Amino acid sequence: MLEQDKLPHGFALLLCISLGSLLSGIAVSEIPLGSKLSVGESTSWVSSNGDFAIGFYNFPDQPKQFSVGIRFNSKSVPVNKQTVVWVAGGDVTVGNNSYFQLQENGELVLFDALQGEEVWTSKTSQLSVALAVLREDGNLVLLNENRDVIWQSFDSPTDTLLPGQRLSTFRTLRAASQNYVSSLYSLYMNVSGQLQLKWESSIIYWGAGRPSHSNLSAVLTSDGSLQLVAPNLERFWSVFGEDHNDTVRFRFLRLDVDGNLRLYSWMEVSQTWRSVWQAVENQCNVFATCDQQGICAFNASGSHVCTCPFHHAVQSNSKCLVSSQHDCKPGSIMVEHANMFLYGIYPVHDFISRTSLDKCKSMCLSDPSCTAVTFTNDGSAKCRMMKTQYVSGYSDPSLSATSFVKRCSDPLAADPIFPLKSPPQAHKEPYNICIPCLVGAASGTIFVFIVIQLGMGFYLYKRKNNYRRLASLAHSRPGSKCLIMLSFTEIKELTGNFNDQIGPKMFKGALPDKQPVAVKELEGTIEARKFRAAVSKVGSIYHKGLAKLEGYCCEFNHRYLVYEYAENGSLEKYIENPTLAERLTWRKRMDISINVGRAIFYLHTECREFLCHGNLECENVVLDENFEAKVKEFGLGMLYGEASSRRASAQKDVEDFGKMVLTLVSGFKEVKDVLDWAYKEWMEGHPENVVDKRLKNEVDAEELECALRITFWCLQADERVKPSMGEVVKVLEGTLPADPPPPPFSCLISAREVEDTSESGSEV
């Protein structure tokens, strides 16, 4: 097994904890309301046994960025081995003078002094919290006067499970972020009782348990085993570490940054954390373990390494990308790589068929968009075709697979160069030459020539530089993590001087390779620092239901976002146009609802840090060439200071989603005008009357019932009964039943009246 020094980079969290913080940490049995931890004061709250502490920490490479986390604090563990096991808000960081406080209203709040806003809360202000306790097992709990647990850190894990901590259904562990980019690796407990390791949200590369049991939880035991147990503690699956039943004081289970799940034990003798079990024995079997760094293989010492075997690959910023030059004048060839299995990432959708090896090669050669294929010759005769530059995989001499990577053929020969013949010598005759005239003419000619050359050189340099930058954007395919910064001049070149407007402040453009993009103009008054921070966060997110942000412009008073282009435009125009509405069949409308719901659910829970849309409506949902829905302009609330109200932002997305589903069902854009009527028709047993009259007799009655029920639940005025986006998606998918909803509108009216009354009172 791997020792501490051999673990992936970033595993050992070398915390910058000063000696003062170690001395100032006080073991307290209770943390009263009003207690505060501050960055500048180097204090911490410590469990009564001294084994765990919660406080601010940072990393050597980020000296001015701080997080709040629970870490090991035992004196038997050296400071540089005191691993963090829970982080408030996941990847949330704050600046100097920030604080973490248990407020008088019972809510834990992380306040960033740099942004001047709350960046994370426990959302417990209305739950009668009386005190907090950091328990001896590392669990931070909020209790009421009766000592009942109101909230606990064990229910919102980050990347680690401690002994006794459960990972219940729909809960997720996510690997720590790297280079400010959220990890795509997660550990997920699904509703069927299976524990799964995922990449992005669709690729499952490891699983445990059988899909026949529901309501199971994963739990790490103190004796060193990982188990799947029922609520009555009946065990359905288990795995044991090498030191199972040995006397080990500290253990933890972590999803590491390399995508592997490992169980660690503290070795007192060697003073190191040692891996005693890992889910995927062969690291090369972890999906995209090399990401954009090439192919996974094992060296002579048995360690896995990432290599780039594509000799004609595109090398960009240390990335290993296969060629995407589809227009090869001399033609294309397929370069063979034996014992190698390849697959596409960004996006992950490969095309698989059953055929022969020769046919597999020829299909790729004849398809201009194909970049590589893998033929599995283990009897399955599967041909996997990739249509992306971003290709990963693994290589092993025992592997029964052969891959072929397409590249342009080299020119057959160069044009021969013949020696130039000397011109015939003219017959020389004496002339009378005006030397001053000749010198003057020559000087003037040389001066003019130099000026012209300098001017042309400068012009060509600018053109070439702009082209190179635009070409770099052209290679940023959907799903890539590249985010290109553009000048305003380049934005004008992309859009043809904004001559093709496709929506409010939205313009169609094209990259040098003719790939279309959509360019969104934003207010030029947005602060540059806030704008760059927001687009950096949004640009690192990839999901097939989200429109990919390709680049941006932040120059002087110009603010633009460059998105991938959706061929069929916005959903809004299909709702408003009677002719186009007929193309939105009932099946397509339900698929759009589910896809949009999954995308919002991804923003709320699958990203390392919670992100809301804030303005979900039909205008911000676009349809690609296959009528697949993609959500655009998500996360822009950060630009306008709306991200501080996180408690309400998720509920607003849920409410906006409910309105959108009702629009898809009824065909009415302004649903507030038909809300009461739609609920009345449903209550009286006539849900079919709510359906868009432009739809033919194709409506599925069961799907209609589910759609209306979840819509009315989403529109409940009482936030306490609104569903989460995860529950919404499950209902639409048919895997979770929905009870009949109460009338939400009388509550909505009373809430509005209360709000109006409070506003009037404040004005008085």
Side-chain angles (χ1 to χ4, degrees), residues 432-446:
N432 293 324
I433 300 176
C434 175
I435 300 300
C437 299
L438 187 60
V439 172
S443 300
T445 302
I446 292 173

Side-chain angles (χ1 to χ4, degrees), residues 2 6-9 11 175-176 178 183 185 197 199 205 254-262 264 278 280 283-290 304:
L2 299 174
K6 297 179 182 178
L7 292 173
H9 174 71
F11 171 84
Q178 290 183 296
S183 175
Y185 291 114
L197 283 174
W199 185 87
Y205 57 91
R254 160 164 287 153
L255 177 56
D256 285 325
V257 294
D258 63 1
N260 216 332
L261 181 68
R262 295 183 177 91
Y264 291 97
Q278 65 181 38
V280 185
Q283 183 61 36
C284 288
N285 288 335
V286 174
F287 189 85
T289 189
C290 288
H304 81 277

Side-chain angles (χ1 to χ4, degrees), residues 176 211-212 234 469 484 499 525 548 572 606 614 702 729 754 764:
S212 57
E234 180 184 359
R469 284 177 50 75
I484 308 300
N499 66 349
T525 56
K548 181 72 175 72
E572 182 180 45
E606 296 289 322
E702 186 175 344
V729 172
V754 170
V764 174

